[in-house]
Amino acid sequence: MWKLLPIAGPAREPYRLLTGVEYVVGRKNSSILIEDDKSISRDHAVLTANFSITNLSQTDEIPILTIKDNSKYGTFVNEEKMQTATSLTLKTGNRVTFGVFESKFRVEYEPLVACSSCLDASRKASLNEAILQLGGHTINSWTEECTHLVMVSVKVTIKTICALLCGCPIVKPEYFAEFVKAVQSKKEPPQIENFIPPIDEPAIGSKIDLSRREERKQIFKGKTFVFLNAKQHKKLSSAVVFGGGSARLITEENEEADSFFSTPGTCVVDVGITNSQTLVPDSQKKWVNSIMDMLQRQGLRPIPEAEIGLAVIFMTTENYCDPQAQPSIELKTATPRPTLSQSSSVSDKLMPSIPVNTTTYVPDTESNMDFSEKLKEIQSSRIEQKFRMSSQETSTTKESAKINSNNDNISNTMIKTKIADYQLSPTKFLGVNKSRDWASHQQQTNSIKNYFQPATKKSKRMELGRNMVSRKNHYSQVKKN
């Protein structure tokens, strides 16, 4: 947004300029009124800001601000007098003097880049209209250029985490419409505190500090987050960097020594790879499993994706993102080992390596996990734990026979589907005598484990279709017999 800031004479509030509006500078009945200077003409000059683009996501393009002089005593830009009835394009930092006395101003462009999340089409259209008038930009993915995150209600997404790390306000879309009205009526901009959206995450409570906190910018200082999956690295590395940490992608081709993964400050992010994912090469499965085994032997644990967000929200890495912190003495790393390859409770959603058109990632969309559903799934955690324990003790042959049996085929499919929706991270903490703090930690982690995970749409429909086909074949077989 373009502003005209007084640098001489009596103290005045800055004049904010909307795009597509002609602002007349004069001593009477003018948009920018200067009454105490006798060298100011009634219709002294005209300022206009216009966008030359229609795509508001082009953040490298800003509105063009022009000035036209119509005065008797002149208008000066950087101490040079303009020719009467001519126009000139202004730039940030230019000094403009109207008349020959103390009516001096500096023009300045204040960036406004709003990133929207979870907005419907109607709200997006209204937001774009207001941002266009304010001379700003709207984008769909968070970058370091963003100045605001726009949400109807606060949901934990990668955009939310990045906004908190960058110290940018999270506001309702109505904030910008009120901003336009304030400029039109020459009033102060609305207070951001009056437009903070409600927090819609029952799993983590409503008492979250969404204000600008400098400590968040260094929350990951001294930590290196190691990613074993390219998509995971692309999705989360920006949040790590915004938090003062470093992110590194390790693959089979540039494999590091075991000592690298156990270096103090190194956090290996849990991939969530499972042996049930046939699209993942066996060599990659073995490689990831070997790293998980190595961490376990050294008393370390992989870091679930959710803990990156939890560390930012609660501004601590004592309970989160610490590979040496053991939530309980019965910690079990559920990233499957060869001995757990028959476990059917691991969701395919954990490894986003299926074709791109079957999953939607949070940074590129505004979809988000439904946490009300998650709370229902938490209630079935005991059932899942029992199922996981029994499945770990079953061999591949027995598991296959059990799934293919006529009596248990449908019920096993239903159990798989239910637990796949619940099992959101390959790390599971078990134990009866946990402290209250760790019990709270477990509930928070289990409740929002997948807010960084892909919001599967087509894959669920495909799975449902396979289940229906399986049921049809089963009943056909029974009828034949």
Side-chain angles (χ1 to χ4, degrees), residues 293-458:
D293 282 330
M294 179 273 298
L295 291 176
Q296 194 173 39
R297 287 194 302 270
Q298 299 189 25
L300 303 174
R301 68 182 179 93
I303 304 302
E305 289 186 1
E307 287 196 18
I308 297 176
L310 290 169
V312 175
I313 291 172
F314 297 107
M315 294 177 286
T316 178
T317 55
E318 292 183 3
N319 298 332
Y320 312 108
C321 299
D322 184 355
Q324 293 182 329
Q326 301 296 336
S328 81
I329 60 175
E330 298 184 24
L331 171 68
K332 290 188 178 181
T333 305
T335 301
R337 303 289 175 271
T339 57
L340 303 181
S341 60
Q342 289 79 36
S343 176
S344 62
S345 64
V346 182
S347 169
D348 291 340
K349 293 189 294 183
L350 295 177
M351 181 61 181
S353 298
I354 52 183
V356 177
N357 65 345
T358 62
T359 53
T360 305
Y361 289 91
V362 173
D364 300 323
T365 70
E366 279 122 33
S367 59
N368 187 45
M369 298 298 296
D370 186 350
F371 280 73
S372 62
E373 292 297 324
K374 291 239 159 301
L375 293 177
K376 296 179 182 178
E377 292 165 356
I378 292 172
Q379 297 174 357
S380 62
S381 61
R382 293 184 179 179
I383 299 176
E384 177 203 359
Q385 291 171 4
K386 291 180 180 180
F387 182 82
R388 286 178 54 82
M389 293 174 64
S390 63
S391 63
Q392 292 173 10
E393 299 172 356
T394 307
S395 65
T396 306
T397 305
K398 291 182 179 180
E399 183 69 13
S400 176
K402 185 183 296 183
I403 293 176
N404 292 327
S405 65
N406 289 337
N407 293 331
D408 296 327
N409 186 35
I410 299 177
S411 61
N412 271 300
T413 302
M414 295 175 64
I415 292 174
K416 280 187 179 183
T417 304
K418 184 174 184 179
I419 295 179
D421 289 338
Y422 172 77
Q423 179 69 20
L424 303 174
S425 171
T427 302
K428 175 68 64 178
F429 305 127
L430 301 180
V432 177
N433 298 320
K434 298 180 180 178
S435 66
R436 291 185 178 180
D437 290 342
W438 281 119
S440 176
H441 169 92
Q442 180 190 4
Q443 183 178 6
Q444 292 168 348
T445 305
N446 286 343
S447 301
I448 62 175
K449 273 181 181 172
N450 207 26
Y451 64 82
F452 282 146
Q453 294 286 0
T456 54
K457 294 179 180 179
K458 292 186 179 180

Side-chain angles (χ1 to χ4, degrees), residues 41-112:
S41 301
R42 177 174 297 191
D43 192 0
H44 194 98
V46 178
L47 289 163
T48 308
N50 284 309
F51 250 134
S52 61
I53 60 173
T54 56
N55 186 358
L56 294 180
S57 64
Q58 299 177 17
T59 56
D60 56 338
E61 298 286 342
I62 65 173
I64 298 173
L65 179 63
T66 59
I67 184 171
K68 182 180 179 182
D69 177 61
N70 299 319
S71 68
K72 177 180 180 181
Y73 293 101
T75 298
F76 302 80
V77 177
N78 296 331
E79 311 303 331
E80 293 187 9
K81 187 176 182 180
M82 293 180 60
Q83 294 183 3
T84 305
T86 60
S87 297
L88 185 68
T89 299
L90 298 176
K91 297 179 180 180
T92 292
N94 285 166
R95 300 182 308 277
V96 179
T97 302
F98 301 106
V100 295
F101 296 120
E102 297 299 313
S103 300
K104 299 181 179 182
F105 298 82
R106 184 181 75 255
V107 293
E108 180 180 297
Y109 179 77
E110 181 179 359
L112 171 59

Side-chain angles (χ1 to χ4, degrees), residues 151-223:
M151 310 178 84
V152 175
S153 60
V154 176
K155 296 181 181 296
V156 181
T157 67
I158 185 63
K159 297 178 185 179
T160 307
I161 297 305
C162 288
L164 292 175
L165 287 168
C166 295
C168 296
I170 303 175
V171 297
K172 297 178 182 178
E174 293 80 9
Y175 169 76
F176 299 98
E178 291 300 318
F179 203 131
V180 171
K181 293 179 182 178
V183 174
Q184 291 172 336
S185 58
K186 299 179 183 179
K187 295 181 180 179
E188 285 294 300
Q191 295 295 316
I192 285 180
E193 292 76 13
N194 298 330
F195 292 89
I196 297 177
I199 298 172
D200 186 18
E201 294 294 4
I204 57 177
S206 59
K207 295 182 179 180
I208 300 176
D209 188 354
L210 300 178
S211 63
R212 181 186 180 94
R213 298 292 294 269
E214 291 299 320
E215 54 263 46
R216 283 194 173 111
K217 296 183 177 182
Q218 298 296 320
I219 190 70
F220 299 131
K221 184 178 180 180
K223 289 184 177 291

